């Protein structure tokens, strides 16, 4: 199946090459020329592994042996073979995406991406090893490390800002095992680490580091179609659960509310709808960084505003890269998308034509909530529904309530839960009681006592695990560090 850039439809590549390249050479994102057809009724009868095989296989048909890849990616790595269970709380249905090896929703995609990347590499006869280079502000780094650890033909190197990630996040990364992983703290903030990584890419020639080691550079970030495709599966899975519980009949529309950062997760929901799943409204939930709320309501995307540091840090984003794909899908106009992205880059904002604004508002609804409302929501949901949610999920829940209150829409609502509450113990515990004077591990234990919800094994064992990657370097030393791998 052919893919082309969101900014130019003339140069095409097959789906295996799209996964290998990540980003198109013109800076655009890869999109399929035509969406595949899926037998939705058959898909909804299947278990999660079969659904994933069918859906990812349909979108990436040039990567062979999909069933085997899906099993290698997921079996034994998640708390349940369903991968992403749903919980009926009596009010909303919560879709739990955090049951994977690092307790973050990014596991769903980052367990699968290494399989897709190495299979695409074999398919294309590429002999060099790949080096995945990532700067992280916390969550992505660990999920990528866990996904790529011990995968043959790939090495992974993660840089994080010294003092810039939580104690739990640091412990998750520095204890990572695997013969192909490297983790290093950088003296500086996240932007310094990110700039350092970009500089390493810029110093490479044709994607290769100059010098002795023949490694081809790549990234694990969410613009790769190989990260997006696996996320479509859980929308089908959630719908199938509602069917099985008799909460809906086949064909009934279901709404989904998605805590959104880079727009990858919610775009996967939109793709599920385009593949034929009966989806009603997709509700886009933001925190105080409400660029997307403004965009969906007004048609103007404006990143010229300060970035707020919030209790839901994985949504602290001003430029949501995957939105570019939606602009293309709804307009079909690569020249328009290229213009808009150019304007965003140059002027910091753009306004879409009225027809595109209307098309977006027919399928999406947007809202946001601040830290205080999210904390209040954690408290209320725990009190009323006996369910413990993290700060990102609480943001989604609060916006889902606003949606229902403002529209009166009575269709079932599924709220996507993107992280375990135990990844953000300080904020979650202090929503329930005082968390002062405790370190994060003590907060985790106290939260377990208060809530009765178990700490996931990957987090509870962390304090005892051996620290393997304790290096701290100057930002100017990042290239040398990579050359030494
Ligand atoms: C990455 C992330 C999000 C945002 O997902 P996008 O696909 O970037 O919109 C939300 N919550 C958590 C916990 C995340 O890690």
């Amino acid at each position: 199946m052919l893919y082309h850039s969101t900014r130019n439809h003339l140069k095409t590549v097959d789906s295996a090459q799209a996964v290998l390249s990540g980003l198109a050479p013109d800076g655009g994102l890869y999109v399929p020329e035509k969406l595949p057809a899926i037998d939705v009724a058959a898909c909804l009868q299947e278990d999660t592994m079969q659904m994933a095989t069918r859906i990812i296989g349909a979108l990436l048909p040039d990567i062979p042996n999909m069933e085997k890849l899906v099993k290698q990616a997921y079996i034994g790595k998640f708390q349940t073979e369903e991968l992403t269970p749903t919980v009926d709380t009596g009010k909303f249905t919560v879709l739990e995406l955090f049951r994977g090896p690092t307790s973050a929703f990014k596991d769903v995609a980052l367990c699968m991406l290494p399989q897709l990347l190495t299979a695409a590499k074999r398919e294309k006869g590429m002999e060099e090893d790949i080096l995945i280079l990532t700067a992280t502000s916390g969550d992505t780094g660990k999920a990528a490390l866990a996904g790529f650890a011990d995968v043959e033909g790939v090495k992974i190197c993660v840089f994080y800002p010294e003092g810039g990630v939580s104690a739990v996040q640091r412990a998750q990364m520095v204890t990572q095992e695997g013969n192909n992983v490297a983790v290093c703290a950088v003296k500086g903030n996240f932007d310094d680490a990110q700039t350092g990584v970009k500089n390493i890419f810029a110093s490479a020639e044709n994607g290769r580091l100059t010098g002795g080691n023949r490694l081809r550079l790549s990234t694990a970030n969410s613009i790769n179609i190989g990260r997006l495709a696996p996320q479509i599966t859980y929308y089908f899975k959630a719908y199938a659960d509602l069917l099985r519980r008799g909460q809906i009949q086949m064909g009934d529309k279901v709404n989904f509310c998605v805590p959104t950062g880079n727009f990858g997760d919610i775009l996967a929901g939109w793709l599920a709808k385009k593949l034929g799943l009966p989806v009603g409204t997709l509700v886009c939930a933001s925190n105080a960084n409400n660029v997307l709320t403004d965009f969906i309501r007004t048609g103007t995307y404006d990143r010229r505003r300060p970035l707020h540091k919030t209790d839901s840090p994985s949504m602290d984003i001003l430029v949501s890269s995957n939105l570019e794909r939606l602009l293309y899908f709804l307009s079909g106009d690569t020249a328009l998308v290229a213009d808009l992205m150019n304007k965003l880059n140059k002027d910091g904002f753009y306004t879409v034509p009225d027809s595109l604004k209307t098309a977006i508002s027919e399928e999406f609804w947007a809202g946001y909530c601040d830290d205080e409302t999210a904390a209040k929501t954690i408290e209320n949901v725990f009190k009323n529904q006996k369910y413990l949610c993290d700060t990102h999920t609480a943001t989604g829940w609060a916006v889902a309530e606003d949606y229902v209150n403002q529209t009166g829409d009575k269709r079932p609502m599924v709220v996507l839960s993107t992280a375990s509450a135990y990844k953000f113990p300080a904020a979650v515990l202090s929503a329930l009681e005082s968390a002062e004077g405790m370190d994060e591990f003590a907060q985790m234990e106290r939260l377990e006592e208060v809530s009765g919800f178990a700490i996931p094994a990957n987090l509870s064992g962390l304090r005892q695990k051996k620290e393997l990657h304790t290096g701290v370097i100057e930002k100017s030393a990042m290239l040398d560090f990579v050359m030494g791998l």
Side-chain angles (χ1 to χ4, degrees):
M1 182 155 76
L2 293 180
Y3 278 68
H4 61 74
S5 164
T6 43
R7 302 182 193 181
N8 181 339
H9 59 280
L10 295 176
K11 282 196 193 125
T12 56
V13 297
D14 72 15
S15 56
Q17 188 59 48
V19 168
L20 269 185
S21 304
L23 202 63
D26 61 6
L29 277 59
Y30 279 118
V31 282
E33 273 193 336
K34 198 163 139 290
L35 283 174
I38 293 249
D39 183 341
V40 174
C43 186
L44 290 170
Q45 301 289 324
E46 295 176 328
D47 68 27
T48 312
M49 302 291 173
Q50 293 166 327
M51 282 183 183
T53 303
R54 182 190 288 271
I55 294 166
I56 306 169
L59 277 157
L60 306 173
D62 308 293
I63 297 181
N65 303 323
M66 194 56 74
E67 187 180 358
K68 187 166 148 236
L69 300 181
V70 165
K71 288 188 172 151
Q72 280 170 355
Y74 293 126
I75 286 191
K77 301 234 184 89
F78 280 62
Q79 285 174 29
T80 147
E81 277 208 10
E82 296 180 80
L83 306 185
T84 53
T86 52
V87 178
D88 176 10
T89 67
K91 184 171 185 174
F92 300 138
T93 295
V94 177
L95 170 54
E96 297 188 334
L97 305 178
F98 58 81
R99 299 288 179 189
T102 80
S103 300
F105 109 93
K106 293 188 171 62
D107 287 331
V108 178
L110 283 168
C111 282
M112 192 65 212
L113 182 65
Q115 301 297 331
L116 296 174
L117 209 56
T118 47
K121 189 169 162 256
R122 272 195 303 274
E123 187 62 16
K124 293 289 165 195
M126 188 177 142
E127 281 170 11
E128 298 152 290
D129 281 1
I130 294 175
L131 173 63
I132 304 284
L133 262 190
T134 301
T136 185
S137 55
D139 271 4
T140 304
K142 176 61 185 184
L145 285 164
F148 282 99
D150 291 328
V151 171
E152 225 173 283
V154 185
K155 289 184 177 184
I156 174 159
C157 174
V158 171
F159 292 108
Y160 68 94
E162 186 192 21
V165 301
S166 76
V168 172
Q169 287 172 325
R170 176 183 175 277
Q172 279 190 300
M173 290 190 278
V174 301
T175 59
Q176 177 66 48
E177 293 164 9
N179 59 22
N180 61 342
V181 304
V183 177
C184 190
V186 175
K187 290 184 188 169
N189 58 26
F190 171 66
D191 279 338
D192 294 323
Q194 172 110 342
T195 304
V197 165
K198 283 188 181 154
N199 288 344
I200 295 172
F201 273 93
S203 73
E205 275 171 32
N206 292 328
R208 289 181 196 83
L209 287 172
T210 48
N213 55 4
R214 284 173 54 80
L215 289 170
R216 183 178 284 264
L217 296 178
S218 185
T219 80
N221 67 24
S222 73
I223 43 107
N224 195 312
I225 188 71
R227 247 187 87 167
L228 197 56
Q231 295 181 235
I232 299 170
T233 306
Y234 48 71
Y235 287 90
F236 282 80
K237 164 67 171 55
Y239 192 94
D241 284 357
L242 291 178
L243 274 177
R244 272 193 284 273
R245 290 192 198 118
Q247 287 170 293
I248 53 168
Q249 301 292 317
M250 183 63 195
D252 288 350
K253 287 192 170 161
V254 171
N255 300 327
F256 289 88
C257 181
V258 189
T260 303
N262 218 2
F263 210 76
D265 199 358
I266 194 166
L267 185 70
W270 185 82
L271 286 167
K273 184 174 181 176
K274 292 302 120 179
L275 293 177
L277 189 70
V279 175
T281 305
L282 288 157
V283 179
C284 174
S286 300
N287 60 25
N289 297 295
N290 56 359
V291 193
L292 284 166
T293 315
D294 290 348
F295 171 66
I296 290 171
R297 291 182 182 173
T298 67
T300 296
Y301 194 101
D302 191 345
R303 69 162 162 80
R304 297 169 301 171
R305 60 181 83 195
L307 180 73
H308 301 290
K309 243 176 121 55
T310 74
D311 289 339
S312 41
S314 299
M315 297 157 70
D316 292 348
I317 280 182
L318 290 181
V319 177
S320 298
S321 319
N322 265 299
L323 183 63
E324 180 170 347
R325 283 197 169 103
L326 182 72
L327 299 177
Y328 166 74
F329 283 125
L330 289 177
S331 70
D333 185 344
T334 51
L336 171 70
V337 175
D339 272 354
L340 295 175
M341 291 305 121
N342 191 21
K343 186 151 169 38
L344 181 64
N345 197 19
K346 214 171 68 216
D347 304 333
F349 75 102
Y350 62 79
T351 300
V352 298
D354 277 344
S355 56
L356 186 46
K357 173 177 176 255
T358 307
I360 292 168
S361 59
E362 277 167 5
E363 313 216 28
F364 293 87
W365 192 91
Y368 69 98
C369 97
D370 59 17
D371 281 347
E372 203 183 319
T373 309
K376 196 84 208 139
T377 304
I378 290 172
E379 188 187 3
N380 287 339
V381 173
F382 184 65
K383 218 166 33 199
N384 301 325
Q385 277 78 35
K386 311 276 179 289
Y387 187 78
L388 183 68
C389 59
D390 96 296
T391 47
H392 302 76
T393 310
T395 303
W397 186 292
V399 171
E401 282 181 330
D402 287 346
Y403 170 77
V404 172
N405 290 339
Q406 288 178 36
T407 63
D409 188 338
K410 298 229 163 39
R411 289 189 287 227
M413 173 67 83
V414 177
V415 175
L416 275 62
S417 178
T418 50
S420 160
Y422 292 101
K423 284 207 81 171
F424 303 95
V428 176
L429 181 61
S430 59
L432 301 180
E433 63 170 39
S434 167
E436 271 170 52
M438 289 182 241
D439 73 14
E440 282 187 28
F441 292 98
Q443 287 166 339
M444 232 190 244
E445 279 160 23
R446 177 64 191 153
L447 187 56
E448 186 175 48
E449 268 169 36
V450 173
S451 72
F453 283 75
I455 304 175
N458 79 78
L459 297 177
S460 66
L462 266 185
R463 216 207 299 237
Q464 283 76 42
K465 281 188 93 175
K466 193 166 159 26
E467 295 198 353
L468 303 168
H469 312 275
T470 51
V472 182
I473 59 171
E474 299 290 340
K475 53 191 179 190
S476 56
M478 287 170 67
L479 180 60
D480 282 344
F481 183 88
V482 171
M483 297 297 277
L485 292 177

